[in-house]
C-alpha cells in the first residue's frame, strides 16, 4: 500500500495541470506497453509522459515490487539487505517500495539517466520524512557506460530491459552479473515480450554461474509451450486519477509482471513448485497450475484429503509450495 507521503505527493502531481491534458500521453504509454514488437520501448520524452508515468505506472509497479519483496522474504527468510542499488530508477519506485519493506536497509543508491525524473524523485525522497530515503544517493548516468558500481546487497532493475535493444540488454546484464551482490532482482511487464527478455536474462544468469532464486523452481529449460508465457499478477487498488486516465470504473486492476531473482550463493532450499496461474477453488478441491522442481509443469487438483490441501488453499498466483 502506498505510504501517505507518496499519496500526498501524487495528489499534488495530479494538480499540476488539468488531467484531460494527460490523456493522450496515457494512451501512448499504454500502447507502448502493449506493443510486442520490441521496437517501441517505453521512453518518456515529454513532461506529460513523465507525469503520466508517476500517476499511473508508479503506483502499479510499487505494488509489484511489494509483492516480490514478500515473495523474496518468504523464500529467503535470512536475507536482510543493508544496501540497495536501484538501476534505471526512474522516479525511485523500487526504492520507495523496498524502503517500506526491508527494515534492514541502511543505504540506497539510485542510478537513472533522466535528469527530470531524478529531480522529481530527489524532491519526493527529501520530503518523505523517511531518513533512509532522504539520505539516498542518486547518480545521473547511463547504465551502459557506468564505470563505478556502488556496492550493495540487493540490486534491482525494474522495467528497464524493455527499453534496451537485445545487444544492450546482454551488455548490461553481463556487467550486472559480474558485480558483487547477494540478490539481484529483474522485473519486466507481464507480456510475452517481457517474458522473452526475462528468459534471455535467465539463460545468461545460468551461463554466468548464478543461482536462480525465482520464479523457477529448477534450472532446466522453461517447460511452457509456445504461445504461453510465465507471468504473475498482483491486485492494485486504482486511485481516482488512474480511473480517470483509464476511463475505467473498476476500483482495482491486476498488474501483470514477469520477474527473475538470482543469487551469488547457493540457496539452502529451493521451492518444490511455483503457482503459475490464479488458483481455481472448487468444493473441497483446489486446482493449481504448477511449475515443478523436475522442470515440468502440470495442473494438479488437490483434494481436501491431500496433505498439501491446507497450503494449497492459502497459496496465491505466483506463490511457492515447498
Ligand atoms: C519504465 S522506467 C522504470 C523506472 C523504475 N525502475 C520503475 O520500475 O518504476 C525505465 C527507466 O529506465 C531508465 N533507463 C533506460 N535505459 C537507461 C540507461 N541506459 N541508463 C540509465 N537509465 C536508463 C529510463 O530513463 C526510465 O526512467
Amino acid at each position: 500500500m502506498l505510504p501517505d507521503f507518496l499519496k500526498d505527493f501524487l495528489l499534488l502531481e495530479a494538480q499540476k495541470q488539468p488531467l484531460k491534458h494527460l490523456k493522450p500521453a496515457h494512451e501512448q504509454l499504454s500502447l507502448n506497453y502493449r506493443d510486442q514488437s520490441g521496437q517501441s520501448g517505453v521512453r518518456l520524452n515529454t513532461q506529460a509522459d513523465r507525469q503520466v508515468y508517476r500517476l499511473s505506472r508508479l503506483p502499479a509497479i510499487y505494488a509489484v515490487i511489494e509483492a516480490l519483496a514478500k515473495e523474496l522474504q518468504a523464500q529467503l527468510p535470512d536475507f536482510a539487505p543493508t544496501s540497495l542499488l536501484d538501476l534505471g530508477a526512474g522516479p525511485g519506485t523500487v526504492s520507495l517500495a523496498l524502503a517500506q519493506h526491508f527494515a534492514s536497509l541502511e543505504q540506497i543508491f539510485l542510478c537513472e539517466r533522466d535528469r527530470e525524473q531524478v529531480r522529481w524523485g530527489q524532491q519526493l525522497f527529501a520530503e518523505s520524512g523517511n531518513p533512509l530515503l532522504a539520505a539516498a544517493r542518486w547518480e545521473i548516468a547511463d547504465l551502459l557506460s557506468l564505470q563505478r558500481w556502488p556496492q550493495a546487497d540487493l540490486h534491482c532493475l525494474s522495467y528497464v530491459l524493455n527499453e534496451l535493444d537485445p545487444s544492450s540488454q546482454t551488455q548490461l546484464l553481463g556487467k550486472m552479473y559480474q558485480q558483487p551482490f547477494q540478490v539481484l532482482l529483474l522485473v519486466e511487464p507481464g507480456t510475452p515480450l517481457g517474458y522473452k527478455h526475462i528468459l534471455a536474462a535467465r539463460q545468461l544468469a545460468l551461463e554466468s554461474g548464478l543461482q536462480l532464486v525465482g520464479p523457477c523452481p529448477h534450472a532446466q529449460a522453461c517447460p511452457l509451450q509456445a504461445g504461453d508465457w510465465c507471468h504473475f499478477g498482483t491486485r492494485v487498488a486504482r486511485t481516482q486519477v488512474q480511473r480517470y486516465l483509464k476511463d475505467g470504473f473498476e476500483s482495482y486492476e491486476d498488474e501483470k509482471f514477469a520477474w527473475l531473482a538470482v543469487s551469488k550463493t547457493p540457496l539452502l532450499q529451493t521451492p518444490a513448485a511455483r503457482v503459475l496461474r490464479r488458483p481455481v477453488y472448487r468444493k473441497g478441491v483446489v486446482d493449481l497450475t504448477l511449475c515443478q522442481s523436475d522442470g515440468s509443469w502440470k495442473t494438479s487438483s488437490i483434494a481436501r484429503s491431500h496433505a498439501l490441501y491446507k497450503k494449497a488453499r492459502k497459496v496465491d498466483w505466483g506463490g511457492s509450495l515447498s
Side-chain angles (χ1 to χ4, degrees):
M1 216 172 67
L2 299 185
D4 287 343
F5 74 86
L6 181 51
K7 282 188 199 155
D8 293 346
F9 214 76
L10 292 176
L11 273 181
L12 291 177
E13 182 72 7
Q15 288 159 9
K16 282 185 182 161
Q17 60 170 307
L19 284 180
K20 64 177 180 206
H21 294 171
L22 296 179
K23 281 222 169 184
H26 181 266
E27 263 159 41
Q28 189 57 49
L29 189 67
S30 308
L31 281 177
N32 288 353
Y33 269 105
R34 283 202 294 272
D35 184 285
Q36 298 300 294
S37 69
Q39 306 298 315
S40 65
V42 187
R43 278 211 167 212
L44 309 178
N45 296 315
T46 66
Q47 265 317 86
D49 290 344
R50 293 185 183 92
Q51 239 181 309
V52 163
Y53 190 85
R54 293 161 194 158
L55 293 172
S56 160
R57 299 301 303 146
L58 187 158
I61 297 177
Y62 185 102
V64 168
I65 302 297
E66 258 187 333
L68 285 172
K70 281 186 197 147
E71 192 50 41
L72 280 183
Q73 226 167 20
Q75 222 171 300
L76 304 174
D78 295 334
F79 179 53
T82 59
S83 45
L84 165 68
L85 177 58
D86 182 354
L87 296 161
T93 323
V94 168
S95 301
L96 287 162
L98 295 184
Q100 294 295 117
H101 188 87
F102 284 112
S104 53
L105 279 177
E106 293 167 4
Q107 259 190 318
I108 296 181
F109 305 97
L110 304 95
C111 180
E112 166 58 51
R113 68 177 170 198
D114 183 334
R115 284 177 187 278
E116 164 53 23
Q117 289 285 53
V118 170
R119 191 199 55 73
W120 190 89
Q122 282 176 324
Q123 193 188 343
L124 167 67
F125 282 30
E127 294 177 18
S128 67
N130 177 333
L132 173 67
L133 291 174
R137 293 196 3 223
W138 293 75
E139 183 171 350
I140 300 172
D142 191 314
L143 295 173
L144 294 165
S145 49
L146 198 61
Q147 296 299 327
R148 283 190 45 238
W149 292 66
Q151 213 165 321
D153 297 338
L154 175 57
H155 291 196
C156 291
L157 186 78
S158 160
Y159 291 75
V160 178
L161 287 177
N162 62 341
E163 298 200 0
L164 304 176
D165 61 53
S167 89
S168 301
Q169 290 184 21
T170 310
Q171 184 193 332
L172 177 59
L173 289 169
K175 266 198 198 172
M176 287 177 67
Y177 290 165
Q178 282 169 17
Q179 305 306 314
F181 56 78
Q182 288 178 29
V183 173
L184 184 155
L185 175 64
L186 302 173
V187 193
E188 286 296 305
T191 58
L193 188 63
Y195 165 63
K196 187 176 154 201
H197 294 156
I198 289 289
L199 211 52
R202 178 187 189 269
Q203 181 60 29
L204 196 62
L206 291 172
E207 286 164 11
S208 307
L210 298 174
Q211 308 289 321
L212 298 183
V213 176
C216 328
H218 60 84
Q220 298 176 50
C222 177
L224 293 186
Q225 285 149 354
D228 198 358
W229 69 100
C230 182
H231 67 288
F232 306 95
T234 191
R235 195 142 280 191
V236 186
R238 275 184 177 163
T239 62
Q240 258 186 333
V241 173
Q242 282 170 311
R243 269 182 263 175
Y244 175 80
L245 288 173
K246 290 179 181 207
D247 288 327
F249 300 102
E250 296 279 13
S251 57
Y252 65 85
E253 63 191 29
D254 284 331
E255 177 66 22
K256 311 274 175 40
F257 59 96
W259 66 286
L260 178 76
V262 294
S263 162
K264 291 241 155 169
T265 43
L267 294 171
L268 292 177
Q269 193 193 6
T270 41
R274 173 81 52 193
V275 181
L276 292 181
R277 309 258 188 275
R278 206 175 278 294
V280 177
Y281 305 101
R282 296 182 282 132
K283 202 167 175 231
V285 180
V286 186
D287 294 328
L288 293 180
T289 301
L290 300 169
C291 185
Q292 307 181 106
S293 56
D294 64 2
S296 67
W297 74 273
K298 71 167 182 194
T299 299
S300 281
S301 296
I302 301 173
R304 205 189 294 275
S305 54
H306 197 290
L308 273 180
Y309 180 72
K310 261 195 181 164
K311 277 190 183 173
R313 288 282 311 177
K314 277 195 192 152
V315 75
D316 207 348
W317 181 16
S320 52
L321 282 183
S322 41

